[in-house]
């Protein structure tokens, strides 16, 4: 064999120009973003059957042999709800983004799976009436997230009219779990939502939990502060204002707000929060203030002042709590939304094996991290000589001294931020 004709391994760095010779095997992991984009453009020219779609990525519309595409016109569709869980630290949040992101989004993976299974005919969410219950940001997890959408059915139009035929329907939960990442798990389906059901607008309440280590914190004071969030308040100083939404009403209703110990996890606690709806980053801002109270930097009464726009016309500068410990724990819907949990029919494939493997791996990693932490602290103890503000990430932020919230600089008011955005939009038109 002539070894000179075999593919060569190319040594590429982030600063090298990508090699145009496609015969070579290239280590794309070492390429810069700009060089990767150049290569994608080259490949699009070479492969005209690859086309972009709505910020999700390239869609292959037919293979090289011209294989006939799936004929959705031969199948009925039905509107359903799906309930699922995901671990958010490997994702750029839940919702598909219009621009490129460093990490995929949860919906990116879900929409890919739906298309691969030929459950939907498009990568554009509006084409299949897609709606999500609660949008979570980068790093944030969810245990009972809900989406509603139109999907392909295995039943005929006549069969769809009779609930007794639902046993013959596609097992949406199982087939999605078989091909999607193990850190996303579907577990319930609503095959017959009530009329006008929408995952977002039909939701009665959202239930969040934030996990934190109580070491060095006054839990009783934090609980006193948490109770001050109860009821209807203006939360403009306890959120991040998104001027593009042009929000003018920052009043939200908090139904439950308390600090509880975390069962079977000594030293850990949960900020348990339930409300009808939440503003952008509201929960993480609420946690940040509670952690300041727990450290003794602020008193619980600071919450009364923050939700009073006469005392605080605009938000003081402070850091939000970390994203990883936050989870959208549950989404509550009316009783007429009937969820089918578990299997619709007997199955032969365990579609949770991958998740069990992920769970086991994380448990072992946690134990090893405990070993490492104990040994390092035992042999090389550290005493911090600077003030560390707890941000819920185990690291915090260091400073020479603490500046009370009422003496800090303030951000622009919501009205000013909204006007700046409108003026910028007008200039760009």
């Amino acid at each position: 064999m002539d070894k000179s004709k075999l593919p060569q391994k190319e040594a590429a760095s982030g600063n090298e120009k990508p090699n145009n010779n496609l015969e070579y095997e290239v280590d794309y992991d070492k390429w810069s973003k700009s060089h990767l984009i150049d290569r994608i453009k080259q490949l699009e020219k070479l492969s005209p059957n690859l086309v972009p779609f709505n910020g999700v990525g390239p869609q292959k519309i037919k293979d090289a042999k011209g294989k006939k595409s799936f004929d959705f016109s031969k199948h009925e569709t039905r509107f359903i709800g799906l309930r699922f869980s995901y671990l958010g630290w490997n994702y750029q949040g839940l919702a598909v983004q219009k621009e490129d992101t460093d990490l995929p989004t949860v919906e990116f993976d879900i929409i890919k799976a739906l298309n691969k299974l030929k459950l939907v005919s498009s990568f554009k969410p509006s084409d299949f009436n897609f709606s999500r219950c609660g949008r979570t940001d980068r790093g944030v997890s969810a245990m009972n997230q809900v989406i509603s959408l139109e999907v392909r059915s295995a039943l005929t139009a006549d069969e769809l009219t009779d609930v007794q035929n639902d046993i013959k329907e596609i097992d949406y939960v199982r087939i999605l779990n078989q091909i999607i990442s193990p850190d996303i798990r579907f577990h319930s389906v609503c095959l017959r939502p009530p009329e006008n059901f929408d995952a977002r607008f039909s939701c009665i309440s959202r239930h969040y939990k934030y996990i934190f280590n109580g070491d060095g914190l006054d839990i009783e004071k934090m609980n006193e502060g948490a109770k001050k969030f109860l009821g209807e308040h203006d939360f403009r100083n306890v959120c991040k204002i998104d001027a593009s939404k042009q929000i003018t009403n920052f009043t939200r209703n908090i139904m439950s707000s308390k600090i509880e110990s975390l069962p079977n996890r000594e030293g850990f606690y949960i900020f348990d929060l339930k409300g009808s709806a939440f503003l952008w980053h509201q929960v993480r801002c609420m946690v940040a203030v509670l952690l300041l109270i727990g450290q003794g930097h602020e008193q619980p009464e600071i919450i009364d002042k923050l939700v009073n726009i006469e005392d605080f016309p605009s938000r003081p500068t402070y850091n939000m709590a970390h994203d990883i410990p936050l989870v959208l724990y549950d989404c509550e819907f009316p009783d007429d939304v009937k969820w089918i949990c578990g299997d619709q029919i007997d199955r032969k494939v365990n579609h949770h094996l991958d998740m069990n493997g992920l769970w086991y791996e994380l448990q072992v990693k946690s134990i090893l991290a405990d070993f490492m932490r104990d040994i390092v602290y035992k042999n090389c103890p550290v005493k911090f000589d600077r003030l560390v503000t707890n941000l819920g990430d185990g690291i915090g932020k260091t400073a020479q001294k603490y500046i009370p919230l009422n003496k800090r600089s303030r951000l622009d008011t919501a009205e000013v931020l909204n006007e700046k955005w409108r003026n910028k939009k007008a200039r760009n038109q």
Side-chain angles (χ1 to χ4, degrees):
M1 179 182 292
D2 186 354
K3 294 185 179 181
S4 64
K5 293 182 179 180
L6 291 175
Q8 302 294 312
K9 188 104 175 181
E10 178 177 307
S13 69
N15 297 320
E16 288 182 307
K17 184 74 173 176
N19 194 314
N20 293 324
N21 189 343
L22 298 180
E23 183 183 15
Y24 286 73
E25 294 180 2
V26 184
D27 186 358
Y28 289 111
D29 289 338
K30 297 180 180 179
W31 282 23
S32 67
K33 181 178 178 180
S34 62
H35 289 156
L36 286 170
I37 292 173
D38 288 342
R39 175 50 63 89
I40 290 172
K41 291 177 179 179
Q42 292 170 8
L43 294 175
E44 285 178 345
K45 291 179 181 179
L46 291 170
S47 302
N49 63 322
L50 291 176
V51 295
F53 64 89
N54 302 307
V56 181
Q59 174 191 3
K60 192 170 185 180
I61 56 176
K62 63 179 182 177
D63 61 23
K65 297 180 180 179
K67 183 179 179 181
K68 187 177 180 180
S69 60
F70 188 86
D71 189 353
F72 281 89
S73 67
K74 295 182 178 180
H75 301 268
E76 296 296 328
T77 63
R78 73 187 303 165
F79 187 69
I80 67 169
L82 283 168
R83 196 161 57 172
F84 60 103
S85 306
Y86 55 87
L87 301 175
W89 48 77
N90 290 325
Y91 296 93
Q92 191 81 23
L94 172 68
V96 170
Q97 304 293 310
K98 294 180 180 179
E99 297 156 355
D100 291 337
T101 56
D102 296 334
L103 296 171
T105 65
V106 175
E107 285 180 4
F108 171 92
D109 276 9
I110 291 175
I111 292 173
K112 281 198 305 181
L114 290 168
N115 274 270
K116 186 173 183 179
L117 293 167
K118 301 297 187 289
L119 295 179
V120 298
S121 60
S122 165
F123 286 88
K124 187 177 180 181
S126 59
D127 286 347
F128 42 95
N129 201 15
F130 183 92
S131 177
R132 69 184 71 89
C133 178
R135 180 168 178 164
T136 57
D137 297 310
R138 175 172 178 156
V140 179
S141 300
M143 295 299 107
N144 282 291
Q145 179 67 272
V146 173
I147 57 175
S148 55
L149 68 163
E150 198 89 21
V151 292
R152 174 175 61 87
S153 173
L155 306 181
T156 66
D158 287 340
E159 288 174 328
L160 281 169
T161 63
D162 188 352
V163 67
Q164 299 297 324
N165 293 318
D166 286 349
I167 193 66
K168 299 187 293 183
E169 185 55 278
I170 296 170
D171 191 346
Y172 298 108
V173 168
R174 181 176 62 84
I175 64 172
L176 280 166
N177 284 338
Q178 283 180 325
I179 68 170
I180 208 162
S181 174
D183 54 8
I184 302 174
R185 290 291 95 179
F186 290 87
H187 52 76
S188 311
V189 61
C190 177
L191 291 176
R192 296 182 181 272
E195 187 177 359
N196 299 320
F197 176 78
D198 181 278
R200 178 184 177 188
F201 296 108
S202 299
C203 183
I204 298 173
S205 67
R206 280 89 175 169
H207 185 181
Y208 284 91
K209 294 190 178 188
Y210 191 96
I211 303 168
F212 64 94
N213 189 319
D215 187 29
L217 298 176
D218 188 331
I219 302 300
E220 187 175 338
K221 285 281 189 181
M222 291 180 71
N223 213 1
E224 184 181 342
K227 292 177 182 178
K228 291 182 177 293
F229 286 127
L230 287 170
E232 286 195 352
H233 300 286
D234 188 311
F235 285 97
R236 69 183 66 200
N237 295 320
V238 200
C239 75
K240 187 173 181 179
I241 296 176
D242 183 357
S244 68
K245 300 290 178 61
Q246 291 291 289
I247 296 175
T248 57
N249 179 13
F250 296 91
T251 300
R252 297 294 184 270
N253 181 34
I254 301 301
M255 306 167 181
S256 177
S257 178
K258 55 189 175 182
I259 306 293
E260 297 181 325
S261 59
L262 182 61
N264 304 317
R265 290 290 189 275
E266 184 178 355
F268 280 86
Y269 293 82
I270 286 177
F271 173 42
D272 192 89
L273 184 67
K274 185 178 180 181
S276 56
F278 292 87
L279 298 160
W280 190 28
H281 290 323
Q282 180 181 337
V283 182
R284 290 170 61 191
C285 288
M286 295 169 79
V287 173
V289 175
L290 290 176
L291 289 173
L292 292 176
I293 294 171
Q295 287 186 278
H297 297 319
E298 301 284 350
Q299 293 302 309
E301 290 71 27
I302 190 62
I303 293 175
D304 295 324
K305 296 181 180 296
L306 286 170
V307 297
N308 185 338
I309 60 174
E310 292 183 2
D311 288 335
F312 280 85
S314 64
R315 184 188 134 178
T317 56
Y318 61 85
N319 295 101
M320 293 188 300
H322 194 48
D323 50 11
I324 301 297
L326 179 60
V327 57
L328 174 58
Y329 192 75
D330 202 4
C331 299
E332 182 184 6
F333 288 87
D335 292 338
D336 58 352
V337 180
K338 304 298 183 183
W339 297 104
I340 300 172
C341 301
D343 297 315
Q344 297 167 248
I345 56 176
D346 292 337
R347 57 178 166 79
K348 297 180 180 179
V349 180
N350 186 337
H351 53 93
H352 293 317
L353 276 177
D354 287 344
M355 186 198 68
N356 291 342
L358 175 64
W359 174 86
Y360 185 79
E361 177 184 336
L362 292 175
Q363 293 296 312
V364 172
K365 286 182 177 180
S366 176
I367 294 170
L368 292 176
D370 285 341
F371 287 169
M372 182 175 179
R373 183 176 183 270
D374 290 344
I375 290 175
V376 169
Y377 271 66
K378 178 181 179 181
N379 291 284
C380 187
V382 176
K383 183 177 181 180
F384 296 102
D385 56 359
R386 301 188 72 188
L387 172 71
V388 180
T389 301
N390 191 329
L391 296 177
D393 60 354
I395 301 173
K397 185 177 181 180
T398 59
Q400 292 290 350
K401 65 177 183 177
Y402 179 78
I403 301 175
L405 292 179
N406 62 354
K407 294 183 179 180
R408 296 189 185 187
S409 60
R410 306 281 179 87
L411 302 176
D412 288 335
T413 63
E415 293 76 15
V416 169
L417 290 170
N418 284 340
E419 183 180 5
K420 284 184 176 179
W421 185 88
R422 290 194 299 270
N423 292 338
K424 182 178 178 181
K425 184 178 180 181
R427 289 194 302 269
N428 293 334
Q429 287 180 344

